[in-house]
Amino acid sequence: DAGVIQSPRHEVTEMGQEVTLRCKPISGHDYLFWYRQTMMRGLELLIYFNNNVPIDDSGMPEDRFSAKMPNASFSTLKIQPSEPRDSAVYFCASSKGFAYNSPLHFGNGTRLTVT
Amino acid sequence: QQQVKQSPQSLIVQKGGISIINCAYENTAFDYFPWYQQFPGKGPALLIAIRPDVSEKKEGRFTISFNKSAKQFSLHIMDSQPGDSATYFCAAKREGSNYQLIWGAGTKLIIKP
């Protein structure tokens, strides 16, 4: 079990550029979550998918953010255009169901810096 | 608005001591309370979790105490070790929700050798 794989680990970009973050969930997991972590706001749920279908995107901060899950093994989070306030660590997590014994498995995150 | 308040923000404990992190919630409609541990450069990982029908759960050196009437739950780390140095997050899941976790702000724990 390779765990949740995120790429890139670090991304530095200039304001106005498009940024795409990638995630490969654990095989067999049917829930996928995108979180953002900052010192000021802590862990924020941006969006989550169930069986590749977006269920709740109420945490997506603006229309500049979009997420897709074209298949069970791949998801992307896109920011276009990026702004300095988007700088954060973005985590992808997956789980098998949402029962009490189905924890979230997080990737190691993508540290995004927008200058 | 923050519905899970976590304290302290940071904590320094001597090796072998007991580390205690507290969380309080403001909404009674939570049905699952996990604790996650996060090391630098890594994502959070589930450490231990409890349901509200249980007052205490112990796994090795880690214990969750749950007080439903006070709407409080805490994490106790016995015989704290330098390897326990990490950031700890409490969370609560809304009853009936599809895995909507409300997270505490985190506690940075440092265990001094």
Side-chain angles (χ1 to χ4, degrees), chain B residues 56-109:
Chain B
E56 184 175 284
K57 183 174 181 180
K58 184 176 181 179
E59 290 184 0
R61 297 184 293 107
F62 300 91
T63 301
I64 299 179
S65 297
F66 184 79
N67 186 329
K68 190 172 183 178
S69 61
K71 300 179 188 177
Q72 295 176 349
F73 57 110
S74 59
L75 175 69
H76 295 233
I77 306 175
M78 310 299 289
D79 186 26
S80 299
Q81 300 296 311
D84 297 330
S85 298
T87 299
Y88 292 81
F89 294 92
C90 64
K93 186 183 80 69
R94 286 203 178 102
E95 194 173 76
S97 75
N98 288 331
Y99 229 115
Q100 178 66 282
L101 285 177
I102 309 300
W103 294 84
T107 296
K108 186 172 183 178
L109 173 65

Side-chain angles (χ1 to χ4, degrees), chain A residues 34-61:
Chain A
W34 281 101
Y35 278 88
R36 178 170 68 176
Q37 185 176 41
T38 61
M39 289 296 293
M40 291 297 295
R41 300 176 68 89
L43 275 164
E44 301 174 276
L45 177 64
L46 301 178
I47 184 171
Y48 79 91
F49 296 82
N50 177 216
N51 291 323
N52 313 337
V53 176
I55 302 300
D56 185 352
D57 66 354
S58 60
M60 297 285 261

Side-chain angles (χ1 to χ4, degrees), chain A residues 9 37 48 98 100 102 104 106, chain B residues 31 36 38 41 44 98-99:
Chain A
R9 285 301 312 272
Q37 185 176 41
Y48 79 91
F98 56 92
Y100 300 110
S102 299
L104 293 177
F106 284 81
Chain B
D31 62 358
Y36 279 76
Q38 183 179 27
N98 288 331
Y99 229 115

Side-chain angles (χ1 to χ4, degrees), chain A:
Chain A
D1 182 355
V4 175
I5 300 172
Q6 291 187 247
S7 64
R9 285 301 312 272
H10 303 273
E11 177 78 48
V12 180
T13 190
E14 292 184 346
M15 181 174 63
Q17 296 299 305
E18 177 180 296
V19 175
T20 299
L21 311 181
R22 297 172 175 79
C23 174
K24 177 179 170 56
I26 293 173
S27 177
H29 283 191
D30 54 352
Y31 281 80
L32 184 137
F33 306 79
W34 281 101
Y35 278 88
R36 178 170 68 176
Q37 185 176 41
T38 61
M39 289 296 293
M40 291 297 295
R41 300 176 68 89
L43 275 164
E44 301 174 276
L45 177 64
L46 301 178
I47 184 171
Y48 79 91
F49 296 82
N50 177 216
N51 291 323
N52 313 337
V53 176
I55 302 300
D56 185 352
D57 66 354
S58 60
M60 297 285 261
E62 299 171 35
D63 291 344
R64 300 183 296 105
F65 286 70
S66 62
K68 294 182 179 179
M69 192 165 186
N71 56 62
S73 59
F74 184 66
S75 178
T76 60
L77 178 67
K78 185 177 293 186
I79 308 172
Q80 165 63 19
S82 59
E83 296 183 3
R85 60 192 167 124
D86 301 331
S87 297
V89 180
Y90 291 81
F91 288 104
C92 174
S94 68
S95 71
K96 187 171 177 62
F98 56 92
Y100 300 110
N101 59 350
S102 299
L104 293 177
H105 294 262
F106 284 81
N108 287 331
T110 295
R111 180 175 294 277
L112 173 65
T113 302
V114 183
T115 60

Side-chain angles (χ1 to χ4, degrees), chain B residues 34-56:
Chain B
W35 285 87
Y36 279 76
Q37 179 188 53
Q38 183 179 27
F39 293 106
K42 303 291 186 182
L46 179 68
L47 182 64
I48 187 173
I50 198 168
R51 294 176 60 170
D53 53 349
V54 176
S55 61
E56 184 175 284

